[in-house]
Amino acid sequence: MLKYNRFVLGNGLRVIHLEDKNTPMVVVNTLYDVGARDESPDRTGMAHLFEHLMFGGSANVPSFDDPIQQAGGEDNAWTTNDYTNYYEVLPSQNAEIAFWLESDRMLALEFSQRSLDVQKQVVCEEFKQRNLNQPYGDVSHLMRSLVFKQHPYSWPTIGLELSHIESVDLEFEKQSFYSHYAPNNAILSVVGNISLAETKRLVEKWYADIPRREVVKRDIPREPEQTEPRFMEVERNVPADAIYKAFRSPRRMDEDYYVSDLMSDILANGRSSRLFQRMVCERKLFLSVDACILGDIEEGLFYVNGKLADGVSFEEADKALNDELQALCNELLDEHELEKVKNKYESNRLFGDISLLNKANSLCYYELLGDVELINTELSYYQKVTAEDVRSLARKLFRPENCSTIYYRAKRK
């Protein structure tokens, strides 16, 4: 059991502290409750752009990375549809540097035209590299637009179009920053060789004077239930034909979330998984196969996909995948098979919790979900999943009318 401490500043900043005297390091992790789902359809990619802008200089610090590197640390960030996360890993004697830097960019960015232009260019190049010029890079755009017709999950975090990023000006940057990046919209975790008393002292010193802000109230439209199969076929310059199937899946805090996570492992976690053994090894229909859940806070996606072997038709491959999914609907899992994926999850979780960074990320994320104690209790939800739970959810998910399919055809020379 991890013993953490939790307190809240007067300005609304939530802080989670976990002391670990067995390391010389400290992780300072900051999560902002803003992601791609908070964007409008004509202004996408903004949360990801801000991830970059937050490294472009703040009110009193022209360079964010240099002090971290000079102190023997590292830092990075990522954006999801639901939130944005920043972290610093430093030797414990230099931990205050992270508090200083993070608090200063929470206070205000530099808001310079030069910084904005540089970061817009960086993000646009990333968009081109990952989504326009990389094989299969547009799958997320295609599938999200196929599945979601009203919900902002209909675009990936990188954004829908380059033009949305290119059109951002300084006024929009300031408006967005002050309406989302605020102490009362943030969670701070401090993990490592640092006491609770020292953590409270540094948090009070660097964050207490940052004012609360009027955070934009989230108003996200609910996606209507999908009532018929959806299909798309595209042709691209890629090495092999591929098929992608997506099913609307449970919210992150639904009990069925844990069932869906284990179900994806049963299908495609490792070389002994069902899809790899039957689709790749035995029948040789696919070069590779995968199944995963996206883990979104709201209703998300359960993905099943694979790259077809030479000479295999889309129809044959699609039927084979559907047959495997229907097997989960019709037959009870062998207890040994279910226990195997539970044990694998447990071992991965225990090894993951060795990492200070993983613990810091998880504390912030679980606090965002509304129950930081999940860091100690979530494993029990996986252990409670039964074979009947898997069959029941499979029948609910793997219905034809809940399925969206893309045939991703390779151009023939």
Side-chain angles (χ1 to χ4, degrees):
M1 297 286 286
L2 297 176
K3 296 182 179 180
Y4 56 84
N5 305 287
R6 181 184 184 278
F7 60 95
V8 183
L9 291 189
N11 58 15
L13 177 66
R14 290 173 277 173
V15 184
I16 317 292
H17 164 261
L18 177 65
E19 185 173 5
D20 184 348
K21 296 180 179 179
N22 298 314
T23 175
M25 309 299 286
V26 169
V27 176
V28 176
N29 191 92
T30 308
L31 183 151
Y32 287 96
D33 186 7
V34 57
R37 63 175 171 164
D38 297 292
E39 300 162 355
S40 61
D42 60 343
R43 283 279 196 174
T44 64
M46 298 302 105
H48 179 248
L49 174 61
F50 264 90
E51 175 199 323
H52 287 259
L53 287 169
M54 294 282 270
F55 288 93
S58 55
N60 302 294
V61 184
S63 171
F64 191 92
D65 292 333
D66 289 349
I68 295 289
Q69 293 168 3
Q70 289 166 8
E74 62 176 281
D75 62 289
N76 213 328
W78 70 84
T79 312
T80 75
N81 285 82
D82 298 314
Y83 63 91
T84 312
N85 195 83
Y86 303 84
Y87 69 84
E88 295 80 40
V89 184
L90 288 159
S92 57
Q93 65 268 29
N94 295 331
E96 187 168 4
I97 292 172
F99 290 85
W100 162 53
L101 292 170
E102 283 292 0
S103 64
D104 201 63
R105 66 177 173 184
M106 183 184 287
L107 178 66
L109 295 183
E110 184 186 2
F111 299 123
S112 73
Q113 189 64 50
R114 177 182 176 280
S115 174
L116 178 59
D117 290 343
V118 167
Q119 298 307 326
K120 282 164 58 175
Q121 183 177 0
V122 170
V123 172
C124 285
E125 288 304 314
E126 182 180 340
F127 192 121
K128 294 172 186 176
Q129 181 182 357
R130 292 187 178 183
N131 300 94
L132 300 182
N133 301 329
Q134 181 171 291
Y136 314 102
D138 61 348
V139 168
S140 181
H141 283 85
L142 297 173
M143 184 60 84
R144 286 181 177 277
S145 66
L146 187 61
V147 175
F148 297 105
K149 303 303 180 183
Q150 294 188 21
H151 195 282
Y153 282 170
S154 62
W155 55 82
T157 56
I158 195 73
L160 266 177
E161 301 175 9
L162 283 171
S163 61
H164 293 179
I165 300 162
E166 292 168 339
S167 65
V168 174
D169 57 23
L170 277 174
E171 186 57 37
F172 182 83
E173 180 188 359
K174 291 178 184 178
Q175 178 187 349
S176 297
F177 177 81
Y178 286 115
S179 58
H180 290 293
Y181 296 84
N184 47 309
N185 203 40
I187 302 163
L188 179 71
S189 67
V190 183
V191 177
N193 197 349
I194 184 170
S195 68
L196 175 60
E198 178 66 359
T199 298
K200 285 186 172 181
R201 183 185 74 82
L202 291 174
V203 170
E204 287 282 349
K205 175 181 177 180
W206 291 105
Y207 290 90
D209 291 336
I210 302 175
R212 294 177 67 97
R213 292 174 185 143
E214 190 71 30
V215 176
V216 173
K217 187 176 180 180
R218 184 174 284 140
D219 183 19
I220 296 176
R222 187 172 179 85
E223 184 70 23
E225 183 178 355
Q226 187 170 324
T227 58
E228 59 183 10
R230 295 174 185 170
F231 177 78
M232 178 186 296
E233 184 169 357
V234 298
E235 186 177 71
R236 300 286 191 268
N237 186 20
V238 293
D241 291 338
I243 185 170
Y244 296 86
K245 303 181 78 65
F247 303 85
R248 297 264 294 276
S249 63
R251 295 167 179 261
R252 181 60 177 80
M253 290 301 285
D254 290 345
E255 286 192 11
D256 276 345
Y257 167 83
Y258 304 103
V259 185
S260 68
D261 196 12
L262 290 178
M263 193 157 60
S264 69
D265 288 349
I266 290 163
L267 288 170
N269 188 347
R271 298 178 67 86
S272 64
S273 63
R274 288 189 173 201
L275 291 183
F276 186 85
Q277 283 296 311
R278 298 174 187 177
M279 301 289 98
V280 178
C281 296
E282 295 173 13
R283 300 181 64 183
K284 302 188 187 312
L285 297 175
F286 288 86
L287 302 172
S288 62
V289 285
D290 192 21
C292 65
I293 58 173
L294 297 188
D296 294 318
I297 288 180
E298 302 186 44
E299 192 178 42
L301 295 179
F302 189 112
Y303 263 110
V304 180
N305 60 81
K307 294 181 174 61
L308 279 60
D310 288 345
V312 176
S313 70
F314 280 103
E315 292 74 19
E316 183 182 8
D318 200 353
K319 182 180 184 304
L321 287 178
N322 282 325
D323 287 346
E324 288 299 325
L325 299 180
Q326 289 307 306
L328 284 177
C329 299
N330 299 325
E331 305 162 11
L332 274 180
L333 281 175
D334 178 86
E335 287 298 328
H336 173 74
E337 187 177 14
L338 181 57
E339 196 63 28
K340 182 184 71 174
V341 295
K342 287 182 181 180
N343 290 341
K344 182 175 283 190
Y345 171 81
E346 182 174 1
S347 64
N348 289 339
R349 177 64 180 266
L350 292 174
F351 279 118
D353 281 347
I354 294 173
S355 163
L356 290 182
L357 182 56
N358 284 353
K359 284 186 281 195
N361 296 159
S362 294
L363 286 168
C364 280
Y365 181 58
Y366 290 137
E367 174 68 20
L368 177 69
L369 293 178
D371 185 7
V372 69
E373 182 60 13
L374 280 171
I375 199 163
N376 290 318
T377 62
E378 190 169 53
L379 181 59
S380 67
Y381 291 98
Y382 284 91
Q383 291 170 333
K384 288 190 296 186
V385 172
T386 67
E388 183 54 49
D389 291 333
V390 173
R391 182 166 68 176
S392 176
L393 183 62
R395 289 173 174 174
K396 182 179 177 181
L397 258 59
F398 302 140
R399 296 173 290 112
E401 62 269 25
N402 192 45
C403 181
S404 299
T405 303
I406 296 175
Y407 287 177
Y408 204 100
R409 192 179 297 277
K411 285 186 178 179
R412 306 303 179 196
K413 296 181 180 179

